[in-house]
mmCIF file with all atom_site columns, all heavy atoms in Angstrom:
data_model
loop_
_atom_site.group_PDB
_atom_site.id
_atom_site.type_symbol
_atom_site.label_atom_id
_atom_site.label_alt_id
_atom_site.label_comp_id
_atom_site.label_asym_id
_atom_site.label_entity_id
_atom_site.label_seq_id
_atom_site.pdbx_PDB_ins_code
_atom_site.Cartn_x
_atom_site.Cartn_y
_atom_site.Cartn_z
_atom_site.occupancy
_atom_site.B_iso_or_equiv
_atom_site.pdbx_formal_charge
_atom_site.auth_seq_id
_atom_site.auth_comp_id
_atom_site.auth_asym_id
_atom_site.auth_atom_id
_atom_site.pdbx_PDB_model_num
ATOM 1   N N   . ASP P 1 1  ? 0.784  -1.168 0.050  1.00 97.00 ? 1  ASP P N   1
ATOM 2   C CA  . ASP P 1 1  ? 0.026  -0.032 -0.013 1.00 97.00 ? 1  ASP P CA  1
ATOM 3   C C   . ASP P 1 1  ? 0.839  1.395  0.015  1.00 97.00 ? 1  ASP P C   1
ATOM 4   O O   . ASP P 1 1  ? 0.262  2.398  -0.175 1.00 97.00 ? 1  ASP P O   1
ATOM 5   C CB  . ASP P 1 1  ? -0.873 0.066  1.271  1.00 97.00 ? 1  ASP P CB  1
ATOM 6   C CG  . ASP P 1 1  ? -1.889 -1.003 1.239  1.00 97.00 ? 1  ASP P CG  1
ATOM 7   O OD1 . ASP P 1 1  ? -2.332 -1.508 0.097  1.00 97.00 ? 1  ASP P OD1 1
ATOM 8   O OD2 . ASP P 1 1  ? -2.424 -1.439 2.169  1.00 97.00 ? 1  ASP P OD2 1
ATOM 9   N N   . ILE P 1 2  ? 2.120  1.120  0.296  1.00 98.00 ? 2  ILE P N   1
ATOM 10  C CA  . ILE P 1 2  ? 2.931  2.321  0.446  1.00 98.00 ? 2  ILE P CA  1
ATOM 11  C C   . ILE P 1 2  ? 4.060  2.444  -0.534 1.00 98.00 ? 2  ILE P C   1
ATOM 12  O O   . ILE P 1 2  ? 4.783  1.470  -0.775 1.00 98.00 ? 2  ILE P O   1
ATOM 13  C CB  . ILE P 1 2  ? 3.478  2.385  1.867  1.00 98.00 ? 2  ILE P CB  1
ATOM 14  C CG1 . ILE P 1 2  ? 2.360  2.234  2.888  1.00 98.00 ? 2  ILE P CG1 1
ATOM 15  C CG2 . ILE P 1 2  ? 4.257  3.644  2.172  1.00 98.00 ? 2  ILE P CG2 1
ATOM 16  C CD1 . ILE P 1 2  ? 2.924  1.982  4.316  1.00 98.00 ? 2  ILE P CD1 1
ATOM 17  N N   . ALA P 1 3  ? 4.289  3.564  -1.243 1.00 98.00 ? 3  ALA P N   1
ATOM 18  C CA  . ALA P 1 3  ? 5.344  3.838  -2.136 1.00 98.00 ? 3  ALA P CA  1
ATOM 19  C C   . ALA P 1 3  ? 6.512  4.381  -1.367 1.00 98.00 ? 3  ALA P C   1
ATOM 20  O O   . ALA P 1 3  ? 6.289  5.037  -0.315 1.00 98.00 ? 3  ALA P O   1
ATOM 21  C CB  . ALA P 1 3  ? 4.942  4.851  -3.221 1.00 98.00 ? 3  ALA P CB  1
ATOM 22  N N   . GLY P 1 4  ? 7.690  4.117  -1.825 1.00 98.00 ? 4  GLY P N   1
ATOM 23  C CA  . GLY P 1 4  ? 8.908  4.687  -1.305 1.00 98.00 ? 4  GLY P CA  1
ATOM 24  C C   . GLY P 1 4  ? 9.376  5.929  -1.959 1.00 98.00 ? 4  GLY P C   1
ATOM 25  O O   . GLY P 1 4  ? 9.197  6.204  -3.196 1.00 98.00 ? 4  GLY P O   1
ATOM 26  N N   . LEU P 1 5  ? 9.859  6.932  -1.181 1.00 98.00 ? 5  LEU P N   1
ATOM 27  C CA  . LEU P 1 5  ? 10.343 8.264  -1.590 1.00 98.00 ? 5  LEU P CA  1
ATOM 28  C C   . LEU P 1 5  ? 11.757 8.430  -1.336 1.00 98.00 ? 5  LEU P C   1
ATOM 29  O O   . LEU P 1 5  ? 12.242 8.259  -0.155 1.00 98.00 ? 5  LEU P O   1
ATOM 30  C CB  . LEU P 1 5  ? 9.420  9.334  -1.057 1.00 98.00 ? 5  LEU P CB  1
ATOM 31  C CG  . LEU P 1 5  ? 10.032 10.749 -1.067 1.00 98.00 ? 5  LEU P CG  1
ATOM 32  C CD1 . LEU P 1 5  ? 10.246 11.254 -2.512 1.00 98.00 ? 5  LEU P CD1 1
ATOM 33  C CD2 . LEU P 1 5  ? 9.136  11.701 -0.268 1.00 98.00 ? 5  LEU P CD2 1
ATOM 34  N N   . TRP P 1 6  ? 12.598 8.656  -2.242 1.00 98.00 ? 6  TRP P N   1
ATOM 35  C CA  . TRP P 1 6  ? 14.001 9.030  -2.069 1.00 98.00 ? 6  TRP P CA  1
ATOM 36  C C   . TRP P 1 6  ? 14.306 10.452 -2.698 1.00 98.00 ? 6  TRP P C   1
ATOM 37  O O   . TRP P 1 6  ? 13.921 10.602 -3.838 1.00 98.00 ? 6  TRP P O   1
ATOM 38  C CB  . TRP P 1 6  ? 14.962 8.002  -2.761 1.00 98.00 ? 6  TRP P CB  1
ATOM 39  C CG  . TRP P 1 6  ? 15.031 6.632  -2.104 1.00 98.00 ? 6  TRP P CG  1
ATOM 40  C CD1 . TRP P 1 6  ? 16.007 6.242  -1.184 1.00 98.00 ? 6  TRP P CD1 1
ATOM 41  C CD2 . TRP P 1 6  ? 14.070 5.554  -2.262 1.00 98.00 ? 6  TRP P CD2 1
ATOM 42  N NE1 . TRP P 1 6  ? 15.760 4.940  -0.805 1.00 98.00 ? 6  TRP P NE1 1
ATOM 43  C CE2 . TRP P 1 6  ? 14.544 4.548  -1.377 1.00 98.00 ? 6  TRP P CE2 1
ATOM 44  C CE3 . TRP P 1 6  ? 12.928 5.340  -2.955 1.00 98.00 ? 6  TRP P CE3 1
ATOM 45  C CZ2 . TRP P 1 6  ? 13.898 3.278  -1.348 1.00 98.00 ? 6  TRP P CZ2 1
ATOM 46  C CZ3 . TRP P 1 6  ? 12.266 4.245  -2.780 1.00 98.00 ? 6  TRP P CZ3 1
ATOM 47  C CH2 . TRP P 1 6  ? 12.674 3.166  -2.021 1.00 98.00 ? 6  TRP P CH2 1
ATOM 48  N N   . SER P 1 7  ? 14.965 11.160 -1.958 1.00 98.00 ? 7  SER P N   1
ATOM 49  C CA  . SER P 1 7  ? 15.385 12.514 -2.454 1.00 98.00 ? 7  SER P CA  1
ATOM 50  C C   . SER P 1 7  ? 16.487 13.098 -1.639 1.00 98.00 ? 7  SER P C   1
ATOM 51  O O   . SER P 1 7  ? 16.423 13.094 -0.463 1.00 98.00 ? 7  SER P O   1
ATOM 52  C CB  . SER P 1 7  ? 14.173 13.533 -2.637 1.00 98.00 ? 7  SER P CB  1
ATOM 53  O OG  . SER P 1 7  ? 14.629 14.755 -3.066 1.00 98.00 ? 7  SER P OG  1
ATOM 54  N N   . PRO P 1 8  ? 17.511 13.711 -2.246 1.00 98.00 ? 8  PRO P N   1
ATOM 55  C CA  . PRO P 1 8  ? 18.460 14.458 -1.499 1.00 98.00 ? 8  PRO P CA  1
ATOM 56  C C   . PRO P 1 8  ? 18.050 15.871 -1.171 1.00 98.00 ? 8  PRO P C   1
ATOM 57  O O   . PRO P 1 8  ? 18.652 16.601 -0.342 1.00 98.00 ? 8  PRO P O   1
ATOM 58  C CB  . PRO P 1 8  ? 19.663 14.583 -2.543 1.00 98.00 ? 8  PRO P CB  1
ATOM 59  C CG  . PRO P 1 8  ? 19.099 14.516 -3.855 1.00 98.00 ? 8  PRO P CG  1
ATOM 60  C CD  . PRO P 1 8  ? 17.897 13.649 -3.784 1.00 98.00 ? 8  PRO P CD  1
ATOM 61  N N   . SER P 1 9  ? 16.818 16.237 -1.705 1.00 98.00 ? 9  SER P N   1
ATOM 62  C CA  . SER P 1 9  ? 16.239 17.561 -1.350 1.00 98.00 ? 9  SER P CA  1
ATOM 63  C C   . SER P 1 9  ? 15.105 17.519 -0.310 1.00 98.00 ? 9  SER P C   1
ATOM 64  O O   . SER P 1 9  ? 14.033 16.906 -0.557 1.00 98.00 ? 9  SER P O   1
ATOM 65  C CB  . SER P 1 9  ? 15.680 18.215 -2.642 1.00 98.00 ? 9  SER P CB  1
ATOM 66  O OG  . SER P 1 9  ? 14.874 19.303 -2.416 1.00 98.00 ? 9  SER P OG  1
ATOM 67  N N   . ASP P 1 10 ? 15.367 17.992 0.848  1.00 98.00 ? 10 ASP P N   1
ATOM 68  C CA  . ASP P 1 10 ? 14.338 18.022 1.905  1.00 98.00 ? 10 ASP P CA  1
ATOM 69  C C   . ASP P 1 10 ? 13.080 18.758 1.431  1.00 98.00 ? 10 ASP P C   1
ATOM 70  O O   . ASP P 1 10 ? 11.998 18.442 1.749  1.00 98.00 ? 10 ASP P O   1
ATOM 71  C CB  . ASP P 1 10 ? 14.883 18.652 3.169  1.00 98.00 ? 10 ASP P CB  1
ATOM 72  C CG  . ASP P 1 10 ? 15.867 17.720 3.846  1.00 98.00 ? 10 ASP P CG  1
ATOM 73  O OD1 . ASP P 1 10 ? 15.965 16.501 3.508  1.00 98.00 ? 10 ASP P OD1 1
ATOM 74  O OD2 . ASP P 1 10 ? 16.718 18.215 4.623  1.00 98.00 ? 10 ASP P OD2 1
ATOM 75  N N   . THR P 1 11 ? 13.302 19.942 0.718  1.00 98.00 ? 11 THR P N   1
ATOM 76  C CA  . THR P 1 11 ? 12.302 20.705 0.220  1.00 98.00 ? 11 THR P CA  1
ATOM 77  C C   . THR P 1 11 ? 11.340 20.003 -0.675 1.00 98.00 ? 11 THR P C   1
ATOM 78  O O   . THR P 1 11 ? 10.099 19.960 -0.577 1.00 98.00 ? 11 THR P O   1
ATOM 79  C CB  . THR P 1 11 ? 12.800 21.929 -0.481 1.00 98.00 ? 11 THR P CB  1
ATOM 80  O OG1 . THR P 1 11 ? 13.516 22.754 0.480  1.00 98.00 ? 11 THR P OG1 1
ATOM 81  C CG2 . THR P 1 11 ? 11.611 22.843 -0.980 1.00 98.00 ? 11 THR P CG2 1
ATOM 82  N N   . LEU P 1 12 ? 11.967 19.337 -1.702 1.00 98.00 ? 12 LEU P N   1
ATOM 83  C CA  . LEU P 1 12 ? 11.154 18.505 -2.603 1.00 98.00 ? 12 LEU P CA  1
ATOM 84  C C   . LEU P 1 12 ? 10.489 17.332 -2.010 1.00 98.00 ? 12 LEU P C   1
ATOM 85  O O   . LEU P 1 12 ? 9.350  16.952 -2.247 1.00 98.00 ? 12 LEU P O   1
ATOM 86  C CB  . LEU P 1 12 ? 12.019 18.039 -3.794 1.00 98.00 ? 12 LEU P CB  1
ATOM 87  C CG  . LEU P 1 12 ? 11.396 17.229 -4.912 1.00 98.00 ? 12 LEU P CG  1
ATOM 88  C CD1 . LEU P 1 12 ? 10.281 17.991 -5.540 1.00 98.00 ? 12 LEU P CD1 1
ATOM 89  C CD2 . LEU P 1 12 ? 12.448 16.827 -6.059 1.00 98.00 ? 12 LEU P CD2 1
ATOM 90  N N   . ALA P 1 13 ? 11.160 16.674 -1.087 1.00 98.00 ? 13 ALA P N   1
ATOM 91  C CA  . ALA P 1 13 ? 10.498 15.522 -0.274 1.00 98.00 ? 13 ALA P CA  1
ATOM 92  C C   . ALA P 1 13 ? 9.359  15.997 0.421  1.00 98.00 ? 13 ALA P C   1
ATOM 93  O O   . ALA P 1 13 ? 8.298  15.238 0.492  1.00 98.00 ? 13 ALA P O   1
ATOM 94  C CB  . ALA P 1 13 ? 11.556 14.861 0.520  1.00 98.00 ? 13 ALA P CB  1
ATOM 95  N N   . ALA P 1 14 ? 9.502  17.200 1.059  1.00 98.00 ? 14 ALA P N   1
ATOM 96  C CA  . ALA P 1 14 ? 8.403  17.655 1.887  1.00 98.00 ? 14 ALA P CA  1
ATOM 97  C C   . ALA P 1 14 ? 7.127  18.075 0.937  1.00 98.00 ? 14 ALA P C   1
ATOM 98  O O   . ALA P 1 14 ? 6.005  17.819 1.252  1.00 98.00 ? 14 ALA P O   1
ATOM 99  C CB  . ALA P 1 14 ? 8.755  18.927 2.675  1.00 98.00 ? 14 ALA P CB  1
ATOM 100 N N   . GLU P 1 15 ? 7.418  18.549 -0.282 1.00 98.00 ? 15 GLU P N   1
ATOM 101 C CA  . GLU P 1 15 ? 6.365  18.952 -1.216 1.00 98.00 ? 15 GLU P CA  1
ATOM 102 C C   . GLU P 1 15 ? 5.589  17.768 -1.594 1.00 98.00 ? 15 GLU P C   1
ATOM 103 O O   . GLU P 1 15 ? 4.402  17.617 -1.669 1.00 98.00 ? 15 GLU P O   1
ATOM 104 C CB  . GLU P 1 15 ? 6.907  19.652 -2.357 1.00 98.00 ? 15 GLU P CB  1
ATOM 105 C CG  . GLU P 1 15 ? 7.502  21.061 -2.134 1.00 98.00 ? 15 GLU P CG  1
ATOM 106 C CD  . GLU P 1 15 ? 8.118  21.564 -3.459 1.00 98.00 ? 15 GLU P CD  1
ATOM 107 O OE1 . GLU P 1 15 ? 8.311  20.818 -4.424 1.00 98.00 ? 15 GLU P OE1 1
ATOM 108 O OE2 . GLU P 1 15 ? 8.588  22.697 -3.344 1.00 98.00 ? 15 GLU P OE2 1
ATOM 109 N N   . LEU P 1 16 ? 6.325  16.498 -1.929 1.00 98.00 ? 16 LEU P N   1
ATOM 110 C CA  . LEU P 1 16 ? 5.782  15.461 -2.473 1.00 98.00 ? 16 LEU P CA  1
ATOM 111 C C   . LEU P 1 16 ? 4.981  14.658 -1.294 1.00 98.00 ? 16 LEU P C   1
ATOM 112 O O   . LEU P 1 16 ? 3.909  14.110 -1.520 1.00 98.00 ? 16 LEU P O   1
ATOM 113 C CB  . LEU P 1 16 ? 6.792  14.515 -3.019 1.00 98.00 ? 16 LEU P CB  1
ATOM 114 C CG  . LEU P 1 16 ? 7.357  14.905 -4.391 1.00 98.00 ? 16 LEU P CG  1
ATOM 115 C CD1 . LEU P 1 16 ? 8.613  14.120 -4.732 1.00 98.00 ? 16 LEU P CD1 1
ATOM 116 C CD2 . LEU P 1 16 ? 6.338  14.654 -5.465 1.00 98.00 ? 16 LEU P CD2 1
ATOM 117 N N   . SER P 1 17 ? 5.484  14.671 -0.101 1.00 98.00 ? 17 SER P N   1
ATOM 118 C CA  . SER P 1 17 ? 4.797  14.100 0.981  1.00 98.00 ? 17 SER P CA  1
ATOM 119 C C   . SER P 1 17 ? 3.529  14.829 1.321  1.00 98.00 ? 17 SER P C   1
ATOM 120 O O   . SER P 1 17 ? 2.531  14.264 1.528  1.00 98.00 ? 17 SER P O   1
ATOM 121 C CB  . SER P 1 17 ? 5.650  14.067 2.262  1.00 98.00 ? 17 SER P CB  1
ATOM 122 O OG  . SER P 1 17 ? 6.825  13.289 2.022  1.00 98.00 ? 17 SER P OG  1
ATOM 123 N N   . ALA P 1 18 ? 3.483  16.161 1.258  1.00 98.00 ? 18 ALA P N   1
ATOM 124 C CA  . ALA P 1 18 ? 2.229  16.940 1.443  1.00 98.00 ? 18 ALA P CA  1
ATOM 125 C C   . ALA P 1 18 ? 1.263  16.639 0.281  1.00 98.00 ? 18 ALA P C   1
ATOM 126 O O   . ALA P 1 18 ? 0.109  16.579 0.551  1.00 98.00 ? 18 ALA P O   1
ATOM 127 C CB  . ALA P 1 18 ? 2.636  18.406 1.480  1.00 98.00 ? 18 ALA P CB  1
ATOM 128 N N   . ALA P 1 19 ? 1.763  16.530 -0.929 1.00 98.00 ? 19 ALA P N   1
ATOM 129 C CA  . ALA P 1 19 ? 0.899  16.214 -2.110 1.00 98.00 ? 19 ALA P CA  1
ATOM 130 C C   . ALA P 1 19 ? 0.221  14.876 -1.819 1.00 98.00 ? 19 ALA P C   1
ATOM 131 O O   . ALA P 1 19 ? -0.943 14.721 -2.139 1.00 98.00 ? 19 ALA P O   1
ATOM 132 C CB  . ALA P 1 19 ? 1.564  16.310 -3.351 1.00 98.00 ? 19 ALA P CB  1
ATOM 133 N N   . ALA P 1 20 ? 1.057  13.877 -1.432 1.00 98.00 ? 20 ALA P N   1
ATOM 134 C CA  . ALA P 1 20 ? 0.532  12.608 -1.253 1.00 98.00 ? 20 ALA P CA  1
ATOM 135 C C   . ALA P 1 20 ? -0.461 12.518 -0.173 1.00 98.00 ? 20 ALA P C   1
ATOM 136 O O   . ALA P 1 20 ? -1.535 11.849 -0.236 1.00 98.00 ? 20 ALA P O   1
ATOM 137 C CB  . ALA P 1 20 ? 1.614  11.608 -0.981 1.00 98.00 ? 20 ALA P CB  1
ATOM 138 N N   . GLU P 1 21 ? -0.312 13.139 0.888  1.00 97.00 ? 21 GLU P N   1
ATOM 139 C CA  . GLU P 1 21 ? -1.307 13.346 2.033  1.00 97.00 ? 21 GLU P CA  1
ATOM 140 C C   . GLU P 1 21 ? -2.543 13.813 1.484  1.00 97.00 ? 21 GLU P C   1
ATOM 141 O O   . GLU P 1 21 ? -3.622 13.344 1.810  1.00 97.00 ? 21 GLU P O   1
ATOM 142 C CB  . GLU P 1 21 ? -0.650 14.248 3.051  1.00 97.00 ? 21 GLU P CB  1
ATOM 143 C CG  . GLU P 1 21 ? -1.615 14.488 4.236  1.00 97.00 ? 21 GLU P CG  1
ATOM 144 C CD  . GLU P 1 21 ? -1.674 13.402 5.259  1.00 97.00 ? 21 GLU P CD  1
ATOM 145 O OE1 . GLU P 1 21 ? -0.857 12.458 5.164  1.00 97.00 ? 21 GLU P OE1 1
ATOM 146 O OE2 . GLU P 1 21 ? -2.675 13.324 5.991  1.00 97.00 ? 21 GLU P OE2 1
ATOM 147 N N   . LYS P 1 22 ? -2.481 14.889 0.668  1.00 97.00 ? 22 LYS P N   1
ATOM 148 C CA  . LYS P 1 22 ? -3.672 15.522 0.246  1.00 97.00 ? 22 LYS P CA  1
ATOM 149 C C   . LYS P 1 22 ? -4.486 14.626 -0.751 1.00 97.00 ? 22 LYS P C   1
ATOM 150 O O   . LYS P 1 22 ? -5.695 14.552 -0.777 1.00 97.00 ? 22 LYS P O   1
ATOM 151 C CB  . LYS P 1 22 ? -3.329 16.821 -0.528 1.00 97.00 ? 22 LYS P CB  1
ATOM 152 C CG  . LYS P 1 22 ? -4.606 17.754 -0.864 1.00 97.00 ? 22 LYS P CG  1
ATOM 153 C CD  . LYS P 1 22 ? -4.102 19.095 -1.306 1.00 97.00 ? 22 LYS P CD  1
ATOM 154 C CE  . LYS P 1 22 ? -5.240 20.001 -1.490 1.00 97.00 ? 22 LYS P CE  1
ATOM 155 N NZ  . LYS P 1 22 ? -4.853 21.372 -1.973 1.00 97.00 ? 22 LYS P NZ  1
ATOM 156 N N   . ALA P 1 23 ? -3.638 13.876 -1.509 1.00 97.00 ? 23 ALA P N   1
ATOM 157 C CA  . ALA P 1 23 ? -4.247 12.917 -2.578 1.00 97.00 ? 23 ALA P CA  1
ATOM 158 C C   . ALA P 1 23 ? -4.768 11.644 -1.930 1.00 97.00 ? 23 ALA P C   1
ATOM 159 O O   . ALA P 1 23 ? -5.569 10.866 -2.488 1.00 97.00 ? 23 ALA P O   1
ATOM 160 C CB  . ALA P 1 23 ? -3.222 12.586 -3.515 1.00 97.00 ? 23 ALA P CB  1
ATOM 161 N N   . GLY P 1 24 ? -4.251 11.290 -0.639 1.00 96.00 ? 24 GLY P N   1
ATOM 162 C CA  . GLY P 1 24 ? -4.704 10.076 -0.026 1.00 96.00 ? 24 GLY P CA  1
ATOM 163 C C   . GLY P 1 24 ? -3.925 8.839  -0.503 1.00 96.00 ? 24 GLY P C   1
ATOM 164 O O   . GLY P 1 24 ? -4.347 7.770  -0.441 1.00 96.00 ? 24 GLY P O   1
ATOM 165 N N   . GLU P 1 25 ? -2.738 9.151  -1.140 1.00 98.00 ? 25 GLU P N   1
ATOM 166 C CA  . GLU P 1 25 ? -1.802 8.003  -1.621 1.00 98.00 ? 25 GLU P CA  1
ATOM 167 C C   . GLU P 1 25 ? -0.678 7.956  -0.627 1.00 98.00 ? 25 GLU P C   1
ATOM 168 O O   . GLU P 1 25 ? 0.124  8.893  -0.345 1.00 98.00 ? 25 GLU P O   1
ATOM 169 C CB  . GLU P 1 25 ? -1.336 8.329  -3.028 1.00 98.00 ? 25 GLU P CB  1
ATOM 170 C CG  . GLU P 1 25 ? -2.581 8.356  -4.013 1.00 98.00 ? 25 GLU P CG  1
ATOM 171 C CD  . GLU P 1 25 ? -2.104 8.546  -5.423 1.00 98.00 ? 25 GLU P CD  1
ATOM 172 O OE1 . GLU P 1 25 ? -1.196 9.386  -5.661 1.00 98.00 ? 25 GLU P OE1 1
ATOM 173 O OE2 . GLU P 1 25 ? -2.733 7.926  -6.290 1.00 98.00 ? 25 GLU P OE2 1
ATOM 174 N N   . LYS P 1 26 ? -0.352 6.795  -0.066 1.00 98.00 ? 26 LYS P N   1
ATOM 175 C CA  . LYS P 1 26 ? 0.607  6.629  1.001  1.00 98.00 ? 26 LYS P CA  1
ATOM 176 C C   . LYS P 1 26 ? 2.023  6.665  0.416  1.00 98.00 ? 26 LYS P C   1
ATOM 177 O O   . LYS P 1 26 ? 2.299  5.950  -0.495 1.00 98.00 ? 26 LYS P O   1
ATOM 178 C CB  . LYS P 1 26 ? 0.353  5.319  1.694  1.00 98.00 ? 26 LYS P CB  1
ATOM 179 C CG  . LYS P 1 26 ? -1.017 5.377  2.497  1.00 98.00 ? 26 LYS P CG  1
ATOM 180 C CD  . LYS P 1 26 ? -1.260 4.149  3.287  1.00 98.00 ? 26 LYS P CD  1
ATOM 181 C CE  . LYS P 1 26 ? -2.677 4.141  3.970  1.00 98.00 ? 26 LYS P CE  1
ATOM 182 N NZ  . LYS P 1 26 ? -2.820 2.932  4.724  1.00 98.00 ? 26 LYS P NZ  1
#
């Protein structure tokens, strides 16, 4: 149920995590 996220950018990782939260995709 959960996808993995890798990024050297904390900013981009935070943006994607927030987008996934809004979308309901883990």
Side-chain angles (χ1 to χ4, degrees):
D1 296 335
I2 306 171
L5 161 64
W6 287 261
S7 180
S9 168
D10 291 340
T11 300
L12 181 55
E15 289 174 359
L16 288 165
S17 295
E21 174 79 14
K22 193 170 185 180
E25 296 184 320
K26 295 180 180 179

